Structures are given as C-alpha cells and as structure tokens.
Amino acid sequence: MTSPPGSGAPGTGPAPPQNSAETPWPVRTLSFKIADWIHRLGQVWVEGQLTQINHRRGTRTAFLTLRDPAADMSISVTCDPGLLQRSAVPLTEGTRVVVYGRPNFYAGRGTLSLRITDIRPVGIGELLARIERVKGLLAAEGLFDARRKRPLPFLPHTVGLISGRASAAQRDVLAVAQTRWSAVRFEVRDSPVQGPTAVPSIIEQLAALDAAPHVEVIIIARGGGSVEDLLPFSDETLLRAVAACRTPVVSAIGHEPDNPLLDLVADVRAATPTDAAKKVVPDVAAETAAIGQLRRRSAHALRNWVHREQHVLDGLRARPALANPLRMVDERQARVESAVRDLRRSVTHLLDLEEHRVHRLAAQLSTLGPAQTLARGYAVVQRTDAGAPHAVRSTDDLPVGAHVRIRVSDGSAAAVIAPATTRPADQPEENDQ
C-alpha cells in the first residue's frame, strides 16, 4: 500500500509537523499510523471459537468470525477457502481453533481483520490438558478448599436458576422442586449453556442473581453433553466469578460421570439437575414426617425420663430417713430417756448404798461413841479454869481447887477439887468392890 505524501508512513517524504490543536492530523494520517503500528505486530497465533463461517463457492476469500470464549470480544478473520477445505476436522460454528496470521488494518474503512495462513482445530486431548492446567492453578489458589464452601439454607425463600431456555434441565429442576415444596419460588435466568456466548452470558446472569438480596441460593444447571459442549463450565473466568459470589452456588452440570471444574469450585455439587433440586428444596412431606417422628421420640424420651426420675424419688422416699423423718428423733429421744432412767437408777442405787453405809457407820458410832460409854456409868471430867475446857487425862491435871465439869449420860455438873486422902493405886475403893 502506497501512502500519500505527508502521511508519515515510511518512504513517503518528510514527517508531518508536531501534532497539536493548531496542527492536527488529518484522518488519513491517523489511519496510516494505526496501520503501521498493527503491521509491526507481525504474525501471531490466536485461539478462539468460530462463530460464523462465510464461504461462497467461486470466491477467493472466506470470511470467519473468531470469538473469545471467555469475553464478549471477536475479530474478523479472512483466509483462503482451500485452507478450510484442507482441515482434517470439519470446521463448524462453535469449533475451538488455533489460527496463525497477521493482523491488518484497512485504512479506507477503518476496520481490523486477521489474515490467516494456518488453522488448527483444538483436539479433545489438548482441551483436557488445558482443563488440567486450569485445575492445578485454581487448586493452588485454594478455590477448591472445602473450608471456603458455604452451607445451603434449609428453606430458601427464592432460588436462582441459570439454565438454557426451555431446556430439559430447567424443566427437571422446576418440576422436582414444585413436587417437593409447592410454595418454593424460582427466579429463572435463561442463558446459552454452550457455544461462544455461554460464558459471558452465564457470568452476567450470575452477577445479577448474586446482587439480588432475596435470592438465597443459585443453581447452574445443564444437561449432559460432550467435552466440547461442557467446556464453558471449566472456563477460568466463570470459575473465578462463581468463587467470588456471596450467594451459595450449586453446580448441576450433565450427568454423574461428567465432572467440569465448576463442580469443584461451587459450594455444592449435584450429580444431575434433578439431584440439585432435591439438595436445595426440602421435601415438605418428608420433613413433616421427620418432625412427627422427632416429636414422638421426644415425648417417649420425656416420659421415660419422668418415669426414671419418679422411680428415683420413690426410692428416696422409701428410705427410713424420708419415710419417717421423726424416727431418728424418736430413737434419740428413747435413748436419752433410757439413759436418764439408767442414771436415775444408778443414782438411787448409789444413794441407797450410801444411806446404808451411813446407818452402819452411825450404828458403829453409837456403839463406840462417848454417849454409850457415859450410859454405862462412866463420866468425862473437863477442867474449865485453865483456858479452853479440856478433858482431864491424869490426876496431875486436878490440883486442889481446880474447877471442873463432870459430864455423865444425863447431863453435867460443876465441881471443885477438894483435898483428899491419898491411897495406894492398888487399893480399890469401896464402890469397886
């Protein structure tokens, strides 16, 4: 392509003056500069998904549209029709391919296209290898960790459902949920579930449901399919969007053998869409029956507890201390009364013994005392003029003129010692004879 003079393209003459409001570039200059920068990019390898294939017989150029499966972006592609015919795998809309070509900017129309010289369909093995690489990356980041998964609400007010329009998966989820709980409410969002527009559409619907405060759980449902059909549910962009959701997400993709990476990132994995409805929506009949059974078990357990405690109370009341609370007092009182009787008996016996002893000693005292001696005719002579009265034991204590008191059995008499004729001690008196 030849650039006009003053365009600034290589080999076209002097460069234009400094760009400013006073010296603006014309449109052609800008277009040529853009074309020059794009041309410098050279040939590149690009991966995408075919969405349109326009190949007319007899034409020298085939027109295709290559779309990014993870974003709403596409680019026009041109190639030789023979390149499509020589492909080992038939190329159809939705096929994942890798192309090699050079970007071109057409200055006249201001459009960008990619002229390719090689096109290669992405095989199943390569797709699975890429899925494994994404799986390893997300696992290393902890997006599969069970600790970050949120539990499902027991009785959600509103369930969000993302599925294909009028699809079998959508019908299964709604029918099973209505059977289990007729009052359940769904907010259904239709979205493509395969093809190049699936991932952007699912992400958009997911963001809308996650932002709705009344939606408590989100189900992403799709029926079974091939690896290529289920490829959007292993897309890294979609997986990160699910991991960032604040609302619990249930993955219900395909059948039991199908394992897209969404099953690992979602909070709950359901084997099928029907299984997702069972996991999210409780069975009212089963729950009612379970409540009735729990009530019966609780009542039975309560009755058993009451009977057990009543048995314990009966056992406690049957004990002597509780059956007759005053029994211990009565026993103690009886023991005290018995001890008092024993004490009185012992004291009485002791008093009797002492009284008998006193009588015996009194008798002995009466027998041996001075009164009995005086009664037999003896007398006690006490001298009264020499200090305190005291009994006279010798005639030496009876000098002449001494005052004495003579005590006999029936009284006493005072006397004065008179002189007397002394006689030998061995000569008895007349009264002694």
Side-chain angles (χ1 to χ4, degrees), residues 333-413:
Q333 183 178 2
R335 292 175 60 183
V336 169
E337 291 176 353
S338 176
V340 170
R341 289 193 298 270
D342 293 342
L343 181 60
R344 287 179 177 176
R345 185 168 50 250
S346 299
V347 171
T348 301
H349 179 67
L350 181 60
L351 290 176
D352 292 341
L353 291 178
E354 293 300 324
E355 184 179 4
H356 178 71
R357 180 170 173 271
V358 168
H359 289 311
R360 181 171 56 81
L361 292 176
Q364 291 179 359
L365 182 59
S366 297
T367 303
L368 302 176
Q372 292 295 329
T373 304
L374 295 177
R376 289 197 301 269
Y378 291 93
V380 176
V381 179
Q382 291 179 316
R383 189 174 175 176
T384 60
D385 61 348
H390 60 277
V392 177
R393 299 178 181 275
S394 173
T395 57
D396 295 336
D397 292 336
L398 296 173
V400 177
H403 293 269
V404 295
R405 183 176 57 186
I406 302 172
R407 184 179 180 182
V408 292
S409 62
D410 59 349
S412 62

